[in-house]
Amino acid sequence: MIWSELLIRYGEMSLKGRNRKVFIQKLSENIRRALRGLETVKLKAERDRMFIYASPEELEQAVHLLKDVAGIQSYSPIAQCESTVESIRSTALGVFEHEETLGRTFKVEVKRTDKSFPLVTGELQKEIGGTILRAHPDLKVDVRKPDILLHIDIRETGAFLSARIYKGAAGMPVGSNGRSLLMLSGGIDSPAAGYLMMKRGVMVEAIHFASPPYTSEKAQAKVEELARKLSVYGGSIKLHIIPFTEIQQAIVKQVPENVSITSTRRLMLRIADQVRQEIGALAIVTGESLGQVASQTLESFTAINAVTNTPILRPLIATDKLEIIDIAKKIGTYETSIQPYEDCCTIFTPASPKTKPRLDKVEYYESFIDFAPLIEEAVKNRQIIECTSESNPDGDFSDLL
């Protein structure tokens, strides 16, 4: 074990101005939450980077857990040694013991903050590069696009070496851009939409509509599992389960079948907006993609959006299904989403839904029922479940430390 710390790079956060401290503070909180349970971890935040110190065993665990923390552009394990040529040479050889060298290229890059170091940058690059070549004759030098970039940072406190860069989740720290309510159906799209908004710094709570006995307990359990999987990327998620059966039956009874989907979405949005106000969220997030189904045309959006002035965030609006599936697979929700349990969006589906519903006609059909008391009752009787999950590191980092 030669690694002594982890270097965290901010990426997009580095573009922030006077409010950068706010984002750094939020990222620090999220990292501490991701590394909870690791007793020796200490953080040191600087303007453009952050350092994590821990025992060797917990540093190894931290490498696994950081990959899902939004706001981290990349991170590297660092080996520290004394600022002497001999010590740097020995440590560099130790770093390369962890690298596959056969048929690969490398480059030595030096940053010499401590100007009292006896060798200038070029001299140290040549010294260390020669040492590595003698120990690994299968390696070749490539100064433009090397497979392995050995970075040596000479500071007053010592020399710091790194040779690997791990890609982070990027984006903004979750919680740095407010709170929104995610409409979580149980399909492939809405978890992907929630993930994308969390990656942009939005903290989410989720709302789901259940219509028993038409929808099953397994369908609800599936949604709870999706919320738990999403919680890996931003902490625990409150899931609001809305009893929707009575409202859905009223829609089926009163509204013509070909616009019933439009009314169903409008009633869902009215309920979501009321819950949003109660929890202090600023927007509603949906997994809609333009043209995917009848309720996702511009005409349908116009009729559905008319029930609220609240911002409706649709991060998947310009993506196609294959792109959404790729996101779902990446975040680990796909296999859960494709489990074949009915949700309230798939029951009572008309054979020929209108793709261009007229708002005046939809409002006319809905005017025969006073939905307000039903909405109040549904919101009042909702079930709130705290969904949380531990990260599940994969094996990509297993050979690092």
Side-chain angles (χ1 to χ4, degrees):
M1 172 64 193
I2 62 171
W3 311 113
S4 58
E5 61 193 68
L6 292 176
L7 167 65
I8 308 294
R9 303 178 185 86
Y10 298 153
E12 187 176 345
M13 281 171 51
S14 298
L15 303 176
K16 296 297 177 184
R18 295 179 180 177
N19 59 349
R20 186 183 304 187
K21 285 185 178 179
V22 176
F23 290 86
I24 293 175
Q25 179 62 37
K26 185 57 69 176
L27 178 60
S28 298
E29 294 173 6
N30 293 344
I31 288 176
R32 286 191 175 93
R33 185 178 60 239
L35 304 183
R36 62 187 181 280
L38 304 187
E39 297 178 351
T40 63
V41 165
K42 293 183 179 179
L43 271 64
K44 178 185 176 185
E46 297 182 356
R47 179 175 174 79
D48 295 313
R49 57 189 180 179
M50 187 180 297
F51 295 95
I52 295 178
Y53 307 95
S55 66
E57 295 76 16
E58 293 195 342
L59 201 61
E60 180 178 356
Q61 295 178 54
V63 170
H64 294 300
L65 296 169
L66 288 175
K67 62 185 176 64
D68 294 325
V69 179
I72 296 177
Q73 189 69 26
S74 64
Y75 55 101
S76 297
I78 305 293
Q80 182 181 2
C81 65
E82 294 180 358
S83 288
T84 64
V85 175
E86 186 56 38
S87 182
I88 295 172
R89 186 187 291 125
S90 173
T91 305
L93 291 175
V95 169
F96 271 75
E97 288 179 2
H98 294 261
E99 300 295 332
E100 177 61 49
T101 58
L102 183 61
R104 304 186 77 193
T105 62
F106 83 105
K107 174 186 176 182
V108 178
E109 186 175 82
V110 173
K111 180 180 179 182
R112 200 167 60 95
T113 307
D114 179 10
K115 302 302 182 186
S116 66
F117 190 79
L119 299 185
V120 298
T121 299
E123 291 172 334
L124 183 59
Q125 287 175 321
K126 185 177 179 180
E127 180 66 32
I128 301 303
T131 299
I132 293 171
L133 277 176
R134 286 190 291 274
H136 299 278
D138 50 331
L139 272 172
K140 292 182 179 179
V141 175
D142 185 343
V143 297
R144 294 189 174 181
K145 195 175 181 181
D147 297 319
I148 306 170
L149 176 62
L150 176 63
H151 182 83
I152 304 173
D153 189 0
I154 307 294
R155 308 177 210 164
E156 293 181 353
T157 53
F160 300 82
L161 289 74
S162 64
R164 282 194 184 185
I165 297 178
Y166 286 92
K167 189 176 180 182
M172 309 297 287
V174 175
S176 62
N177 278 322
R179 180 190 303 269
S180 291
L181 183 62
L182 169 67
M183 297 179 73
L184 190 60
S185 68
I188 297 171
D189 302 348
S190 53
Y195 165 75
L196 291 179
M197 294 312 303
M198 294 166 80
K199 191 178 172 183
R200 294 309 303 163
V202 176
M203 182 175 290
V204 302
E205 294 190 21
I207 185 170
H208 176 72
F209 297 84
S211 292
Y214 306 105
T215 59
S216 66
E217 292 182 357
K218 288 185 176 180
Q220 180 172 322
K222 169 183 166 182
V223 173
E224 292 174 23
E225 177 62 17
L226 288 172
R228 279 192 288 272
K229 287 181 178 294
L230 273 181
S231 73
V232 169
Y233 303 97
S236 64
I237 292 177
K238 283 186 179 178
L239 175 62
H240 303 258
I241 304 290
I242 302 293
F244 198 56
T245 308
E246 190 174 357
I247 292 176
Q248 201 156 15
Q249 288 175 327
I251 293 171
V252 171
K253 181 179 179 182
Q254 182 58 44
V255 178
E257 185 184 64
N258 60 356
V259 292
S260 62
I261 287 294
T262 304
S263 287
T264 299
R265 297 295 297 174
R266 282 164 55 86
L267 269 297
M268 286 180 172
L269 196 53
R270 288 175 64 180
I271 292 171
D273 203 26
Q274 190 158 321
V275 172
R276 176 200 64 78
Q277 293 180 49
E278 288 189 12
I279 65 175
L282 298 176
I284 295 171
V285 180
T286 78
E288 292 161 318
S289 171
L290 185 60
Q292 189 177 114
V293 294
S295 64
Q296 296 176 17
T297 63
L298 289 179
E299 291 82 358
S300 292
F301 288 152
T302 300
I304 294 168
N305 286 8
V307 301
T308 180
N309 291 321
T310 297
I312 309 299
L313 306 179
R314 296 180 169 97
L316 302 177
I317 193 68
T319 57
D320 62 36
K321 197 66 178 181
L322 293 179
E323 292 172 313
I324 298 171
I325 288 174
D326 286 343
I327 296 171
K329 288 181 176 178
K330 173 186 172 184
I331 64 176
T333 57
Y334 178 74
E335 294 299 329
T336 303
S337 290
I338 62 174
Q339 292 176 13
Y341 304 121
E342 295 271 14
D343 61 44
C344 65
C345 293
T346 55
I347 60 174
F348 305 127
T349 302
S352 301
K354 271 193 173 299
T355 57
K356 298 180 179 180
R358 284 178 49 182
L359 176 59
D360 58 339
K361 286 193 173 183
V362 174
E363 289 177 334
Y364 171 75
Y365 298 135
E366 292 174 4
S367 67
F368 291 94
I369 294 180
D370 183 6
F371 283 105
L374 297 177
I375 292 173
E376 289 290 340
E377 192 70 12
V379 172
K380 177 184 174 184
N381 293 330
R382 73 184 188 274
Q383 181 185 6
I384 302 175
I385 301 170
E386 195 83 29
C387 298
T388 180
S389 174
E390 298 291 336
S391 295
N392 182 26
D394 56 34
D396 292 342
F397 307 88
S398 58
D399 62 340
L400 172 61
L401 299 171

